[in-house]
Amino acid sequence: MVIRYELQAECDGARAGLLHTPHGTFKTPMFMPVGTQATVKTLTPEELYAMGAQIILSNTYHLFLRPGEELIRQAGGLHAFMHWQQPILTDSGGFQVFSLGQMRKITEDGVTFRSHLDGSRKFLSPEVSMDVQMALNSDIAMAFDECIPYPSDYDYTSQSTARTSRWAQRCLQHHHSPTQGLFGIVQGGMYKDLRARSCAELVAMDFDGYGIGGLSVGEEKSLMYDILEYTVPLLPKHKARYLMGVGTPDCLLEGVARGVDMFDCVYPTRVARNGMAMTKTGRLTVRNAKYAADFVPIEENCDCYTCQNYTRAYIRHLFKAEELLAYRLVSIHNLHFLLHFMRDLRQSIVDGTFREFCRQFRRVYRDR
Amino acid sequence: MVIRYELQAECDGARAGLLHTPHGTFKTPMFMPVGTQATVKTLTPEELYAMGAQIILSNTYHLFLRPGEELIRQAGGLHAFMHWQQPILTDSGGFQVFSLGQMRKITEDGVTFRSHLDGSRKFLSPEVSMDVQMALNSDIAMAFDECIPYPSDYDYTSQSTARTSRWAQRCLQHHHSPTQGLFGIVQGGMYKDLRARSCAELVAMDFDGYGIGGLSVGEEKSLMYDILEYTVPLLPKHKARYLMGVGTPDCLLEGVARGVDMFDCVYPTRVARNGMAMTKTGRLTVRNAKYAADFVPIEENCDCYTCQNYTRAYIRHLFKAEELLAYRLVSIHNLHFLLHFMRDLRQSIVDGTFREFCRQFRRVYRDR
């Protein structure tokens, strides 16, 4: 097995483990920073590693269009190209393609779409996605799926979920790489029977791990947690479970509480570039005028590079002056915050104090 | 004396020395990276220090307008505000104000102008410039001068240069800081007799060092070198000489050859953000299509962070994708290149091989 999940501890539904990959082992539960275009925006790999990132995600759709997977293959794969020697997970391109709306057309074969860069006609299918991801040589490839929009009716969701299963089978047949694992993606929208069918079909195919897709797409959080709580127990215990596109502390905690091992989201880096810092008590919009003369760090007692060396007043100045260092400093803080949040969460599972950790978190955190 | 120049070696007109300041000593000749808005664009102080930057320059005009000198005073001065504990030189604001063209009006008292940020009416004078720079608490303040445009006729140049001398006197009278030195700025345009008069008047005032202003403003390089060669010997040997606004390797070398100790320019960081890398043989436009599949560093044998870890192909991809890491990586390379160029130049003065260093440089460097 290229990818192997090792369970280490369980506590109140949450679990701590290790995921072994060709580029090394990382601890779960883990948050994966997103490096869409072969770079986690503004940061170097050394900075990511120093703040505790052990695996990053990169986007097949973007790299397929630019610079193209052949160039990255020539460079020696994505790790060498972007100078990141730890594990990488690539998504399948499906999510981005389906987000294009009117610019794409779905058939059983795959999806024809127009590039957002130059409008040129492109085609992605299970086979093409596998070829691209094998060229990138990420540690974990994702099967090509349709992420169903919310809300969607039962009939569409049912048809789409069935097609995602057929596509998953084609991915499995086409994928052949001794240095890359392949995860299937569970769909089924907000319908539990369709989630159950999706799980059953995918689990029967025996993927190296399972993504849970089609959540955090606009539904209420309570609905997301409910679907998640229903879905996770249908997945095999000896494989990793990855909740796709989730990145706020409350959602990470609730995901971990329901047995999820991996998460990714552009949230911490995207809001950072808008001047929004993540803290234990919720978001802090450091670019606001009220911080203009506030000579304390973003968060007291935070040991990230940014909080150790800079004040809110300085960071706000950088935002007002549109200085690139602003985006960098808050990206460092936010990723550090989230990665250390996950580390603490994991430790509480190992220590058997997860329930208490959750209680304390819910007491102070405000989803502003 | 707050600022003290210590001569260490001379060789064929060039000199190596030390400049002692309140925030430490730096080696001359030295290039000062520019941190216009209290940040050297895209970089952290640690990165600057690691690549050999020993002093940086920041701009009084920009900080006066935003965030305002009072905020920086409250922060504990510019060093604390921006987290840079090495020496800082601030310019006087004159250069930027005079660049505003129609938006400013000069009188004997000072300059009234409109802020480029919000159009509000502002006033800078010798006294205001000193007050602002004392609030910033840079190690070296510059006297408020007029940087005369090129070309300018003899009469205007003569009147302006005389006014710059009167303003220099007012700066000296108003300046009072036990933790900040003050440099005068020689003007005189391209007229040697006016340069001589400016030097005589300023030297009589006994500043802590001397800027040579009004060069590199559009004139031929040969004319700049000629005026420089004429001017430097008129300045005292026991004070630092600073050629303002110069930052290409050929100009630095010719400046050093004529006895200059300090330089500053936005050039290395500005061209970096346009995808232009500085190398021993001239500029390399790394964003050009011909580097798309070029899997070698910007410059062979360069030991900067960028060249040690990234290829031209990757950096070009980052530029095409408009990723902020692109600006950062080339800024690191360019400043590293220039700071190490200055270090090597200094060593050749100490070793007595400066003439040979110049010959080798001129043989391979092309001003493309």
Side-chain angles (χ1 to χ4, degrees), chain B residues 15-203:
Chain B
R15 59 191 213 160
L18 296 173
L19 200 71
H20 304 285
T21 84
H23 282 82
T25 295
F26 63 88
K27 294 176 176 175
T28 62
M30 176 55 70
F31 175 78
M32 302 182 281
V34 178
T36 299
Q37 306 190 100
T39 166
V40 176
K41 289 188 190 307
T42 81
L43 303 178
T44 62
E46 286 82 359
E47 285 169 329
L48 288 166
Y49 192 72
M51 64 179 77
Q54 297 180 41
I55 173 171
I56 61 170
L57 178 146
S58 199
N59 292 107
T60 291
Y61 168 82
H62 291 86
L63 298 177
F64 172 57
L65 296 185
R66 183 175 61 197
E69 72 279 11
E70 278 311 317
L71 187 87
I72 294 178
R73 189 205 301 274
Q74 278 177 53
L78 187 53
H79 296 82
F81 184 58
M82 68 179 290
H83 173 53
W84 168 261
Q85 294 309 325
Q86 311 304 313
I88 300 176
L89 180 146
T90 43
D91 67 0
S92 69
F95 180 76
Q96 277 80 19
V97 168
F98 288 102
S99 304
L100 292 173
Q102 295 307 312
M103 290 171 70
R104 46 83 176 162
K105 185 171 167 247
I106 313 170
T107 66
E108 183 64 23
D109 197 25
V111 186
T112 306
F113 63 98
R114 295 215 173 262
S115 160
H116 75 283
L117 297 176
D118 60 8
S120 65
R121 199 183 186 76
K122 300 280 177 184
F123 178 69
L124 263 182
S125 66
E127 291 77 15
V128 174
S129 176
M130 292 303 100
D131 286 339
V132 174
Q133 292 184 74
M134 284 188 285
L136 300 177
N137 196 28
S138 54
D139 298 85
I140 302 172
M142 298 301 295
F144 190 71
D145 66 323
E146 180 186 0
C147 180
I148 302 162
Y150 177 80
S152 286
D153 65 31
Y154 186 87
D155 277 358
Y156 183 81
T157 305
S158 175
Q159 288 164 32
S160 168
T161 302
R163 185 172 53 217
T164 284
S165 289
R166 292 190 297 274
W167 283 357
Q169 185 61 49
R170 282 165 55 188
C171 287
L172 213 49
Q173 276 165 355
H174 195 78
H175 187 263
H176 54 91
S177 166
T179 56
Q180 184 178 62
L182 179 60
F183 280 22
I185 301 178
V186 173
Q187 291 288 348
M190 305 303 161
Y191 304 100
K192 288 183 180 170
D193 63 319
L194 299 181
R195 287 275 166 189
R197 198 174 75 196
S198 179
C199 285
E201 289 170 353
L202 291 168
V203 170

Side-chain angles (χ1 to χ4, degrees), chain A residues 11-12 14 249-250 253-254 256-258 280-281 341 344-345 348-349 352-366:
Chain A
C11 185
D12 291 313
D250 51 342
L253 180 126
E254 301 299 341
V256 169
R258 287 159 180 81
K280 288 190 172 68
T281 54
F341 177 72
D344 294 346
L345 229 160
S348 79
I349 299 168
T353 57
F354 178 68
R355 195 184 294 245
E356 174 57 19
F357 185 96
C358 293
R359 192 161 35 230
Q360 290 214 6
F361 172 81
R362 292 185 188 115
R363 195 164 47 78
V364 298
Y365 185 80
R366 291 292 164 267

Side-chain angles (χ1 to χ4, degrees), chain A residues 186 304 327:
Chain A
V186 173
C304 85
Y327 314 136

Side-chain angles (χ1 to χ4, degrees), chain A residues 60-358:
Chain A
T60 291
Y61 168 82
H62 291 88
L63 298 177
F64 172 56
L65 295 185
R66 183 175 60 195
E69 71 280 11
E70 277 310 317
L71 187 86
I72 294 178
R73 189 204 301 275
Q74 279 177 53
L78 187 52
H79 296 83
F81 185 57
M82 69 178 291
H83 173 54
W84 169 261
Q85 294 309 324
Q86 311 304 313
I88 299 176
L89 180 147
T90 43
D91 68 359
S92 69
F95 180 77
Q96 277 79 20
V97 168
F98 289 103
S99 305
L100 291 174
Q102 296 308 313
M103 289 171 72
R104 47 86 175 159
K105 188 172 165 244
I106 312 171
T107 67
E108 183 64 23
D109 197 24
V111 187
T112 305
F113 63 98
R114 295 214 174 263
S115 160
H116 76 282
L117 297 177
D118 60 8
S120 65
R121 200 183 185 77
K122 300 280 177 184
F123 179 69
L124 262 183
S125 67
E127 292 77 14
V128 174
S129 176
M130 292 302 101
D131 286 339
V132 174
Q133 292 185 75
M134 286 189 284
L136 300 177
N137 196 28
S138 53
D139 297 85
I140 302 172
M142 298 301 295
F144 190 70
D145 67 324
E146 180 185 0
C147 179
I148 301 163
Y150 178 80
S152 286
D153 64 32
Y154 186 86
D155 278 358
Y156 184 82
T157 305
S158 175
Q159 287 165 33
S160 168
T161 301
R163 185 171 52 215
T164 284
S165 289
R166 293 191 296 275
W167 283 358
Q169 185 61 49
R170 282 166 55 189
C171 286
L172 213 48
Q173 277 166 354
H174 195 78
H175 187 261
H176 54 90
S177 167
T179 56
Q180 184 178 62
L182 179 60
F183 280 22
I185 301 179
V186 173
Q187 290 290 347
M190 305 303 160
Y191 304 100
K192 288 183 179 171
D193 63 320
L194 299 181
R195 286 276 167 189
R197 197 173 77 196
S198 180
C199 284
E201 289 170 353
L202 291 168
V203 170
M205 296 178 206
D206 196 26
F207 281 94
D208 295 320
Y210 293 90
I212 300 160
L215 291 178
S216 194
V217 289
E219 77 281 12
E220 287 290 313
K221 283 182 180 176
S222 57
L223 178 56
M224 173 170 89
Y225 299 150
D226 183 44
I227 296 293
L228 193 60
E229 197 159 312
Y230 177 80
T231 304
V232 173
L234 305 177
L235 295 171
K237 212 169 161 171
H238 63 292
K239 300 274 172 81
R241 305 141 178 183
Y242 158 32
L243 177 56
M244 305 175 79
V246 164
T248 57
D250 51 342
C251 292
L252 293 181
L253 180 126
E254 301 299 341
V256 169
R258 287 159 180 81
V260 174
D261 307 302
M262 298 161 65
F263 304 85
D264 82 286
C265 197
V266 295
Y267 180 83
T269 43
R270 180 169 291 168
V271 301
R273 297 194 302 280
N274 291 324
M276 208 132 68
M278 300 170 76
T279 79
K280 288 190 172 68
T281 54
R283 295 188 301 201
L284 183 149
T285 306
V286 67
R287 61 173 304 149
N288 278 355
K290 65 175 168 178
Y291 301 119
D294 197 356
F295 300 109
V296 301
I298 289 175
E299 187 160 36
E300 299 285 357
N301 303 319
C302 172
D303 62 354
C304 85
Y305 169 74
T306 302
C307 288
Q308 290 296 306
N309 296 301
Y310 303 92
T311 62
R312 295 172 178 178
Y314 179 67
I315 296 167
R316 177 181 187 266
H317 162 67
L318 293 180
F319 271 102
K320 297 305 285 182
E322 296 178 11
E323 283 286 353
L324 301 185
L325 187 60
Y327 314 136
R328 208 180 142 187
L329 292 182
V330 184
S331 294
I332 288 173
H333 171 81
N334 283 1
L335 284 179
H336 180 279
F337 169 81
L338 213 51
L339 290 162
H340 283 243
F341 177 72
M342 294 302 277
R343 185 197 61 182
D344 294 346
L345 229 160
R346 183 180 197 279
Q347 192 58 47
S348 79
I349 299 168
V350 171
D351 294 345
T353 57
F354 178 68
R355 195 184 294 245
E356 174 57 19
F357 185 96
C358 293

